[in-house]
Amino acid sequence: MTDTTDEQLAGQYEAFPYPKRDPRDEAKRLIVGSPSHLREIDHWIFGATRPAGRPLNALVAGAGTGDATIMLAQQMASLGRPGTVTWLDRSAAARAVAQGRAAARGLGNVVWEQRSLLELPGSGLGPFDYIDCCGVLHHLPDPQAGLRALLSVLAPHGGLGLMVYAPHGRTGVYMMQDALRRLAPPAETPQQRLDVARRVMRHLPETQWLRMNRHFDDHINGGDAGLYDLLLNPRDRAYTVPELDALLASVGLQVACWVEPVRYDPVAMLPDPRLRARLEAMTPTERAAVAEALAGNMAMHIVYCVRADAPVTRADPAADSSVPVLRELDGTALAKGIRPDGTLVVHFDGLRVPVALPPLASAILPLVDGTSRVADIRNALGRRGIKPDAFDKAWRATFTALERVNRLLLAAPA
């Protein structure tokens, strides 16, 4: 499974651990994103049915300088959730950065494993309830083998959060990679190649598509590690929606959620009734492929996956005992953002998507605090004269609309 390109890749991440991070910055902020946000794992992988008190054994494979590891470990610690997060990567340089970040936060729930994810079968590690693998599969000589290695240590009812590159939103990247491959051959040292890339970037023609692409900024704000990873990576493959779906199916996986779901729904971009009729005749993957091609701004695909034969169990968002939670949003502020026409405009890398909400949403959202049950919210509004039937109808519409933008989810049961 190791070839010359793989050796070059290993050398790259020792020279330029990725992404660029400084442990001193942990005092200022927690980097939060998808996948591997604890709220998302609870909702999309376990359907908000796995008790919060059950220990979560998580693996971050190809963990780099630790973004997913630190985020998940900190969220578990902050919420008092039992379990551990295993950091796994080949790079000693990346491990040093990630350990510095964990130490800065005083995190004691991280396990450190310096090895390749391809060594997981027979390693004695696991089983893991959840596995994160971001920005790794598209660099492997055999992505199928990488997925099979991950599945070998996945618990029977567990799931994965994956990220791979997408082609349309990376317009310009592969042109530049081709130019730099010729100007700075991969056989040269990382420092030599980086020097060439810097010089080229200073003279980038105005017509180069990379100058017009605003869907990523590693080459601008990511330091040497970001520039190298984007434009000098020796192996970099992008997947369209159908290609990624086929890759996952080939190893027995199914997508539980494309993040964010509304981005993969072309109806949001094509409201014309005749076009909608054509879209409704398509499979979900076909519709998602249309959305990807129409939007043109997806630089990556993030998916939550489970085994294809796994039973899909989801909590009922309207059940009295369900606890809704807003992801990094304040319900009161969100309600104030609803326009007079009843829509909330959400932005995805420049794409504006209007989300239609019922009139009662402005009264419901301020009561979503992450601890109140649906029954509590219904009762609170009942005291204001809102009938239960009216609430139930409005709540389902509100939840469905905001779940599609991955911001209103259900918490794990106590």
Side-chain angles (χ1 to χ4, degrees):
M1 290 300 298
T2 299
D3 55 14
T4 301
T5 302
D6 195 56
E7 293 172 358
Q8 293 166 346
L9 192 66
Q12 168 190 332
Y13 289 123
E14 288 299 342
F16 305 109
Y18 182 84
K20 178 185 177 182
R21 296 290 182 252
D22 186 338
R24 291 172 295 185
D25 291 336
E26 297 306 309
K28 307 172 187 175
R29 53 88 184 104
L30 174 67
I31 294 175
V32 175
S34 302
S36 302
H37 191 292
L38 183 57
R39 297 298 194 186
E40 294 178 1
I41 295 170
D42 288 339
H43 185 87
W44 295 116
I45 296 294
F46 299 115
T49 61
R50 189 178 192 273
R54 183 183 302 173
L56 180 70
N57 192 19
L59 168 70
V60 182
T65 52
D67 280 3
T69 304
I70 299 302
M71 173 183 68
L72 183 52
Q74 182 64 67
Q75 289 174 339
M76 291 170 64
S78 297
L79 292 173
R81 298 282 289 272
T84 58
V85 181
T86 296
W87 175 101
L88 184 144
D89 200 288
R90 295 186 298 179
S91 171
R95 175 175 178 165
V97 175
Q99 286 184 318
R101 296 175 68 184
R105 290 183 170 275
L107 295 173
N109 56 350
V110 181
V111 177
W112 306 94
E113 290 286 343
Q114 189 178 326
R115 64 174 83 189
S116 167
L117 67 84
L118 298 174
E119 299 172 18
L120 283 169
S123 65
L125 297 177
F128 296 100
D129 306 301
Y130 172 74
I131 297 175
D132 169 294
C133 188
C134 288
V136 178
L137 295 174
H138 47 235
H139 295 318
L140 295 179
D142 185 348
Q144 273 188 327
L147 282 172
R148 287 193 292 267
L150 297 176
L151 284 169
S152 74
V153 293
L154 182 67
H157 300 292
L160 301 92
L162 308 174
M163 183 278 278
V164 298
Y165 294 145
H168 305 324
R170 284 167 68 82
T171 297
V173 169
Y174 298 107
M175 300 174 194
M176 285 299 299
Q177 285 187 2
D178 182 59
L180 290 172
R181 197 174 294 114
R182 299 169 191 274
L183 285 166
E188 294 184 356
T189 67
Q191 287 292 350
Q192 288 175 317
R193 300 190 75 210
L194 181 65
D195 178 68
V196 172
R198 285 177 180 153
R199 293 172 184 273
V200 170
M201 292 301 290
R202 286 198 291 268
H203 302 284
L204 204 61
E206 293 180 359
T207 53
Q208 168 50 239
W209 281 101
L210 188 65
R211 292 190 62 162
M212 295 175 261
N213 196 331
R214 297 291 182 265
H215 304 313
F216 46 81
D217 65 355
D218 262 5
H219 56 307
I220 299 171
N221 299 316
D224 291 346
L227 178 62
Y228 202 106
D229 194 65
L230 185 71
L231 301 180
L232 293 168
N233 203 296
R235 182 186 283 121
D236 171 346
R237 167 170 183 186
Y239 289 83
T240 63
V241 163
E243 289 170 342
L244 178 55
D245 188 70
L247 172 65
L248 298 173
S250 72
V251 296
L253 287 170
Q254 62 175 322
V255 175
C257 173
W258 294 85
V259 179
E260 288 79 8
V262 74
R263 298 188 69 177
Y264 292 86
D265 181 4
V267 171
M269 293 173 272
L270 300 175
D272 184 297
R274 292 188 180 184
L275 295 176
R276 180 173 297 187
R278 289 174 179 264
L279 293 170
E280 289 175 350
M282 297 179 178
T283 67
T285 299
E286 289 171 338
R287 288 197 298 273
V290 170
E292 175 186 24
L294 277 176
N297 69 341
M298 295 182 187
M300 64 183 72
H301 294 306
I302 297 171
V303 292
Y304 285 105
C305 307
V306 295
R307 288 187 174 89
D309 59 356
V312 178
T313 304
R314 288 201 177 279
D316 180 1
D320 286 353
S321 59
S322 291
V323 177
V325 58
L326 286 162
R327 234 211 68 184
E328 279 80 54
L329 290 173
D330 174 74
T332 300
L334 190 62
K336 290 179 180 178
I338 300 174
R339 303 192 306 184
D341 64 357
T343 62
L344 185 71
V345 177
V346 183
H347 296 263
F348 299 110
D349 300 320
L351 178 68
R352 296 174 69 256
V353 178
V355 178
L357 294 170
L360 276 179
S362 59
I364 293 173
L365 291 173
L367 301 178
V368 178
D369 57 12
T371 58
S372 297
R373 302 171 305 155
V374 169
D376 300 327
I377 299 172
R378 183 190 294 111
N379 292 337
L381 291 177
R383 290 190 289 272
R384 301 183 199 174
I386 296 172
K387 295 181 179 180
D389 288 350
F391 166 81
D392 290 342
K393 182 179 179 180
W395 169 242
R396 282 196 179 275
T398 301
F399 183 85
T400 299
L402 295 180
E403 181 192 39
R404 282 166 45 79
V405 296
N406 195 37
R407 285 300 180 268
L408 182 55
L409 309 172
L410 294 181

